[in-house]
C-alpha cells in the first residue's frame, strides 16, 4: 500500500491546521484522540465536492494517492467519497494506523444503490471504528465504534446510529450488514438510513470500477450536480457545530437551523463563492470547461 513521506505529512498537517505533538508519535500513544482530531480538522478544511467533473477539460478523477495529494494539499481541493477517503486512508497508514477500506450502498429514494460509496474501518485497541470523511453534511463527524445499536451526536441537530442487521432487499434474512442512519434530534423524528457497508476489505481495483461508473454515468448525482461542502468548527476548533454547503445555485449553512445565505445566478458568482467559503480557486481555463454543460449557471434573460 502507498504511504506519504514525513514531508508530505507535515504539509498536510499545515494545510488542515493540525498542531501539537508529532502525529506519528501521538498516534502510538493516544491513537483515538489523534484520529478524532485529524478527522475533525480534515472535514473543516478539505471539502466534499464534485468540482473536477464540471470545471476541468478531462472530467476524470484519479484514485492514485500521489495524484490525490497534489489535488488536495497542493491545489487546495477536496473530492467525493472515493477520493477523500482514499487520501485519508493513506495518511492514516502512513502514521501507522491499522485499517481497511470498504464498500457501501447509499440509500436513495427508498432503495439502496449498487456499490457506490467508500469508507474506512480503523482498528484501535481491538475495536473497529467507522471513519468516513466523504459523505457530506450527514456523514459522521468523528470515529464511530462498530457496536450494534450505538447512537451518537453528529453535527447539530443530527444524531447518528449504527445497526448490524439485514436489509429489506436481502433475499436471505440471515445476512447482516452495518447500516448508518441519521435523524434530526427532535422528539418523534424518524431514523433515515443513509448507507450500508460491509466489513469485507475492498481492493484498489474494486474502487477503480466503482469510480469509473460514478464519475462518468450520466445519471450520477456528482456528474449532474456542482457540489461543495465542509464542516464549521467552533472558535476553539474543538467541535464541528455546523456545515456550509454550495449546491448548484445557492450557498446555505446549517448551524442548528438551515439558512440560505446566497443565491447564485452566474458562473462568476459561483466561482467567487467557492473561493470565499471553501478556499477553492477555479482558474479562468477551468471556468471555461463548464460552458455548455447542463450544470453551467447561465444568467436569466428578461421574460418575454
Amino acid at each position: 500500500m502507498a504511504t506519504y513521506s514525513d514531508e508530505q505529512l507535515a504539509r498536510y498537517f499545515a494545510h488542515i491546521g493540525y498542531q501539537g505533538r508529532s502525529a506519528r508519535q501521538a498516534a502510538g500513544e493516544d491513537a483515538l484522540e489523534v484520529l478524532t482530531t485529524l478527522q475533525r480538522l480534515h472535514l473543516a478544511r478539505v471539502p466534499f465536492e464534485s468540482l473536477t467533473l464540471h470545471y476541468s477539460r478531462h472530467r476524470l478523477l484519479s484514485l492514485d494517492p500521489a495524484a490525490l495529494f497534489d489535488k488536495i494539499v497542493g491545489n487546495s481541493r477536496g473530492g467525493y467519497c472515493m477520493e477523500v477517503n482514499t487520501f485519508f486512508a493513506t495518511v492514516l497508514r502512513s502514521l501507522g494506523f491499522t485499517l481497511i477500506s470498504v464498500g457501501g450502498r447509499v440509500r436513495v429514494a427508498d432503495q439502496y444503490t449498487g456499490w457506490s460509496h467508500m469508507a474506512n474501518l480503523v482498528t484501535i485497541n481491538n475495536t473497529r471504528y467507522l471513519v468516513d470523511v466523504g459523505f457530506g453534511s450527514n456523514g459522521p463527524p468523528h470515529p464511530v465504534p462498530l457496536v450494534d445499536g450505538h447512537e451518537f451526536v453528529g453535527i447539530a441537530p443530527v444524531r447518528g446510529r449504527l445497526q448490524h442487521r439485514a436489509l429489506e432487499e436481502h433475499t436471505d434474512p440471515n445476512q447482516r450488514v452495518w447500516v448508518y442512519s441519521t435523524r434530526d434530534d427532535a422528539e418523534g423524528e424518524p431514523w433515515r438510513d443513509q448507507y450500508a457497508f460491509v466489513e469485507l476489505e475492498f481492493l484498489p481495483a474494486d474502487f477503480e470500477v466503482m469510480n469509473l461508473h460514478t464519475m462518468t454515468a450520466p445519471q450520477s448525482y456528482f456528474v449532474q450536480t456542482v457540489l461543495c461542502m465542509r464542516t464549521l468548527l467552533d472558535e476553539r476548533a474543538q467541535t464541528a457545530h455546523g456545515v456550509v454547503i454550495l449546491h448548484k445555485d445557492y450557498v446555505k449553512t446549517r448551524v442548528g437551523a438551515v439558512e440560505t445565505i446566497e443565491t447564485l445566478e452566474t458562473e462568476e458568482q459561483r466561482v467567487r463563492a467557492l473561493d470565499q467559503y471553501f478556499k477553492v480557486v477555479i482558474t479562468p481555463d477551468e471556468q471555461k470547461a463548464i460552458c455548455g454543460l447542463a450544470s453551467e449557471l447561465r444568467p436569466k434573460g428578461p421574460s418575454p
Side-chain angles (χ1 to χ4, degrees), residues 12 35-44 46-49 72 78-89 92 117-120 130-137 139-143 195 229-231:
Y12 168 65
L35 176 60
T36 302
T37 300
L38 289 176
Q39 183 173 355
R40 179 175 67 251
L41 295 176
H42 178 102
L43 288 169
V46 180
F48 174 70
E49 49 98 335
I72 292 170
Y80 65 21
C81 66
M82 283 172 272
E83 296 177 281
V84 290
N85 277 321
T86 295
F87 171 83
F88 201 60
L92 296 181
H117 185 58
M118 173 187 180
N120 293 309
L130 169 65
V131 178
D132 189 351
V133 296
F135 196 67
S137 61
H142 50 71
Y195 62 85
M229 172 266 163
R230 68 177 180 87
T231 64

Side-chain angles (χ1 to χ4, degrees), residues 151-202:
E151 295 186 20
F152 59 94
V153 177
I155 299 175
V158 175
R159 292 186 61 85
R161 180 179 70 182
L162 278 183
Q163 292 178 305
H164 198 228
R165 59 174 171 84
L167 304 179
E168 293 180 4
E169 291 86 347
H170 282 154
T171 57
D172 177 359
N174 292 316
Q175 294 186 81
R176 293 291 183 271
V177 296
W178 288 99
V179 179
Y180 169 62
S181 306
T182 64
R183 74 172 184 183
D184 290 341
D185 190 12
E187 197 68 32
E189 285 293 319
W191 288 99
R192 301 182 302 277
D193 290 3
Q194 297 292 344
Y195 62 85
F197 62 94
V198 292
E199 290 188 72
L200 171 70
E201 182 172 15
F202 278 41

Side-chain angles (χ1 to χ4, degrees), residues 54-266:
H54 305 272
Y55 294 106
S56 74
R57 301 293 184 181
H58 55 77
R59 294 189 248 284
L60 298 174
L61 303 177
S62 172
L63 300 184
D64 175 69
L68 289 171
F69 184 89
D70 290 342
K71 178 181 182 180
I72 292 170
V73 179
N75 204 29
S76 192
R77 293 288 185 89
Y80 65 21
C81 66
M82 283 172 272
E83 296 177 281
V84 290
N85 277 321
T86 295
F87 171 83
F88 201 60
T90 307
V91 168
L92 296 181
R93 287 194 182 94
S94 303
L95 293 172
F97 283 92
T98 299
L99 69 144
I100 62 172
S101 298
V102 300
R105 304 177 184 273
V106 179
R107 183 78 166 177
V108 178
D110 296 327
Q111 63 182 356
Y112 278 96
T113 66
W115 299 114
S116 60
H117 185 58
M118 173 187 180
N120 293 309
L121 303 182
V122 180
T123 300
I124 299 174
N125 294 330
N126 298 317
T127 298
R128 267 186 170 168
Y129 293 84
L130 169 65
V131 178
D132 189 351
V133 296
F135 196 67
S137 61
N138 286 320
H142 50 71
V144 180
L146 265 60
V147 175
D148 186 22
H150 177 74
E151 295 186 20
F152 59 94
V153 177
I155 299 175
V158 175
R159 292 186 61 85
R161 180 179 70 182
L162 278 183
Q163 292 178 305
H164 198 228
R165 59 174 171 84
L167 304 179
E168 293 180 4
E169 291 86 347
H170 282 154
T171 57
D172 177 359
N174 292 316
Q175 294 186 81
R176 293 291 183 271
V177 296
W178 288 99
V179 179
Y180 169 62
S181 306
T182 64
R183 74 172 184 183
D184 290 341
D185 190 12
E187 197 68 32
E189 285 293 319
W191 288 99
R192 301 182 302 277
D193 290 3
Q194 297 292 344
Y195 62 85
F197 62 94
V198 292
E199 290 188 72
L200 171 70
E201 182 172 15
F202 278 41
L203 303 180
D206 299 314
F207 292 117
E208 289 291 346
V209 174
M210 293 162 58
N211 185 46
L212 178 62
H213 179 271
T214 307
M215 71 178 173
T216 61
Q219 67 271 30
S220 168
Y221 174 77
F222 300 102
V223 170
Q224 296 175 348
T225 308
V226 175
L227 170 71
C228 196
M229 172 266 163
R230 68 177 180 87
T231 64
L232 299 171
L233 303 181
D234 62 17
E235 292 183 359
R236 297 176 58 240
Q238 296 298 307
T239 304
H241 71 119
V243 295
V244 57
I245 302 168
L246 184 151
H247 183 266
K248 295 184 179 180
D249 62 351
Y250 64 82
V251 180
K252 68 179 182 181
T253 58
R254 190 185 76 210
V255 183
V258 175
E259 177 185 2
T260 298
I261 57 177
E262 190 168 354
T263 300
L264 310 170
E265 298 182 355
T266 67

